Amino acid sequence: MEKILDIIEGISYEKGIPIDNVAQAVKEAVIKVAKETFDPNFNYIAEIDKKNKTLHLYQVISVCDNNDEAKKANSNYITLQEARKHDSEIKIGDELRYEISLENMSRSAVNSLFRELEYKIQRLVETQLFDKYKAQVGKIVSGSVVRVDDLGNTYVEIDEIRAILPKKNRIKGEEFAVGSVVGAILKHVGIDRQNGIEIELSRTTPKMLEELLRLEVPEIKDGDVEIVSCARIPGERAKVALKSDLAKIDPVGATVGVKGVRINAVSKELKNENIDCVEYSPQMELYVARALSPALVVSVVLNEEDKKAVVTISKDQKPKAIGRSGINIRLASMLTGYEIELKEIEGEKQEEKERQNLQNEGNQKTNLDILSSLFKG
């Protein structure tokens, strides 16, 4: 194994793996092949001589008591009496090392060594890539589309690896052509023994909206505005709750931008998804009321035990609160974490209020008539 350190350094540079990791992989590969080639019951240790850039393999034998019958029968032990024939000062528990020549390895052993080393280096590469992409879970990554299969799954090449954007994680109506650049949330990273690293992407998760806002709005990126909660029905509508601890910053205004330029840029990336920005309030009744915008509510009563909100609303505001196909109330519920029940103002109370208004108008008219007759007289 002449100049093994040169080989290790070459692999480290080519694969981008720390040199110590490659060195450890080489030693483990040599030990495994030695067990297969010589004796699987022996204990081996491999060491690299950095000065001469060579690798040495040793069989390690431990010194045991002369009367320890169990260890005497084990090939990895030598009695103190026998050991002192080699070294008069050796003690129980010390080790003897016998170097094994790697130059006399058979061709099949050499081939096994290269296969084992190739396997270990591949595992190191995969582990390094796994750690790299694991750290990016929940972040937006981008790459080029290389294939779209018959099921509508999109395969995206991101740097040195291929990821999958399943059809279920794609906004309804989106189509991607080979060669187009796609940005998506890195949703999951796993390792499969047969296929190696598997990466799943998503454009439908609320995290996608949050990360786009973080990229587009400096105040969010800098932490001056915080995204408290986010709810989406992908490609249709979304609601995002925002807050700021700085009195000088309007969290909604900062996120929307001048003439809506910031929020429109995010909406365009999400296939024109309609995005409502809501200012968060620690007063949950007010928060629920704001979440139901553009509807105007009369009152909100919370049941904290059941996480339920009973919202009283007028008849003309009810359609706005519900939204088309119930989308507004669903998003408000998702955003706040409360099950929302709408309670329309009772008809009798509304009619009584209208009668009272008419009566007040009549009284005002009568008073005006009396004043008019006085002046005429």
Side-chain angles (χ1 to χ4, degrees):
M1 285 286 173
E2 292 292 332
K3 308 299 181 184
I4 187 66
L5 197 57
D6 289 339
I7 297 173
I8 291 172
E9 288 174 351
I11 294 173
S12 173
Y13 177 78
E14 180 185 348
K15 303 293 185 181
I17 305 170
I19 193 167
D20 290 343
N21 293 1
V22 178
Q24 183 62 30
V26 169
K27 289 190 282 188
E28 289 175 359
V30 168
I31 290 171
K32 182 175 181 181
V33 172
K35 285 181 175 289
E36 294 173 352
T37 304
F38 303 117
D39 191 325
N41 297 315
F42 286 170
N43 289 331
Y44 299 96
I45 187 171
E47 292 183 347
I48 294 173
D49 183 344
K50 292 184 178 180
K51 183 178 179 181
N52 297 313
K53 299 185 177 183
T54 55
L55 183 141
H56 301 276
L57 178 67
Y58 301 95
Q59 179 191 352
V60 181
I61 299 178
S62 299
V63 179
C64 67
D65 187 271
N66 295 325
N67 299 318
D68 193 331
E69 299 298 329
K71 289 183 178 179
K72 283 166 62 176
N74 190 319
S75 57
N76 289 311
Y77 289 91
I78 186 173
T79 63
L80 180 62
Q81 182 180 352
E82 288 295 319
R84 283 189 169 166
K85 293 179 181 179
H86 304 278
D87 184 348
S88 60
E89 296 183 358
I90 203 164
K91 303 185 294 295
I92 293 173
D94 288 349
E95 293 180 342
L96 290 175
R97 294 185 179 187
Y98 298 97
E99 186 168 3
I100 298 172
S101 175
L102 295 171
E103 304 301 328
N104 299 325
M105 292 176 66
S106 65
R107 183 177 293 274
S108 63
V110 172
N111 290 337
S112 294
L113 177 58
F114 279 106
R115 283 196 302 271
E116 182 64 22
L117 184 55
E118 184 179 32
Y119 171 80
K120 286 187 173 296
I121 295 300
Q122 184 60 35
R123 296 288 81 78
L124 283 175
V125 171
E126 288 183 356
T127 300
Q128 185 163 285
L129 285 174
F130 178 82
D131 291 341
K132 173 185 174 180
Y133 288 107
K134 190 72 175 177
Q136 296 183 56
V137 169
K139 302 295 183 182
I140 292 178
V141 294
S142 60
S144 299
V145 175
V146 292
R147 184 166 75 90
V148 180
D149 65 20
D150 295 337
L151 298 175
N153 300 315
T154 305
Y155 295 85
V156 182
E157 195 168 85
I158 305 169
D159 297 330
E160 62 278 270
I161 205 161
R162 184 171 293 188
I164 181 172
L165 175 63
K167 185 177 181 180
K168 65 178 181 177
N169 293 351
R170 199 178 66 194
I171 297 173
K172 187 178 180 180
E174 279 188 327
E175 297 290 342
F176 300 113
V178 173
S180 59
V181 177
V182 174
I185 285 290
L186 201 162
K187 184 179 180 182
H188 174 74
V189 181
I191 294 183
D192 181 81
R193 289 189 175 183
Q194 291 184 339
N195 302 319
I197 293 181
E198 295 180 336
I199 293 180
E200 181 183 344
L201 306 177
S202 175
R203 285 177 55 82
T204 56
T205 172
K207 194 71 178 174
M208 180 73 181
L209 173 56
E210 291 180 26
E211 288 302 306
L212 285 173
L213 288 170
R214 193 165 279 111
L215 291 172
E216 193 66 34
V217 183
E219 289 85 351
I220 294 177
K221 183 180 179 181
D222 296 340
D224 294 333
V225 173
E226 179 187 344
I227 298 174
V228 179
S229 182
C230 184
R232 287 181 69 195
I233 296 177
E236 294 188 47
R237 193 169 174 182
K239 286 181 183 285
V240 56
L242 306 152
K243 77 170 186 177
S244 176
D245 295 329
L246 302 176
K248 64 180 181 179
I249 293 180
D250 170 16
V252 173
T255 303
V256 172
V258 179
K259 297 182 180 180
V261 65
R262 291 175 176 176
I263 205 71
N264 288 340
V266 174
S267 176
K268 185 178 180 182
E269 174 62 26
L270 298 176
K271 202 170 172 54
N272 298 319
E273 193 169 298
N274 189 5
I275 304 167
D276 296 339
C277 293
V278 175
E279 184 172 1
Y280 172 78
S281 172
Q283 185 181 344
M284 289 296 105
E285 291 86 352
L286 179 56
Y287 182 35
V288 170
R290 287 175 177 174
L292 281 168
S293 64
L296 301 175
V297 305
V298 175
S299 66
V300 178
V301 178
L302 301 180
N303 182 332
E304 292 293 351
E305 185 177 346
D306 298 330
K307 295 297 286 184
K308 189 173 182 179
V310 178
V311 178
T312 302
I313 198 165
S314 62
K315 185 176 182 180
D316 64 313
Q317 293 295 313
K318 190 174 182 180
K320 293 180 182 180
I322 295 172
R324 180 171 55 86
S325 302
I327 195 171
N328 194 59
I329 194 170
R330 284 164 56 199
L331 284 171
S333 182
M334 291 160 63
L335 189 73
T336 61
Y338 286 87
E339 179 188 348
I340 299 175
E341 177 187 329
L342 296 182
K343 184 179 179 182
E344 191 177 326
I345 291 177
E346 295 179 15
E348 292 181 4
K349 290 184 179 179
Q350 185 71 13
E351 289 173 8
E352 178 63 30
K353 189 175 180 180
E354 289 175 0
R355 281 198 299 269
Q356 187 65 41
N357 288 337
L358 287 172
Q359 185 177 346
N360 291 338
E361 288 176 8
N363 290 339
Q364 289 175 2
K365 187 176 181 180
T366 302
N367 292 336
L368 286 172
D369 289 342
I370 294 170
L371 287 170
S372 178
S373 62
L374 287 172
F375 280 107
K376 285 179 182 179

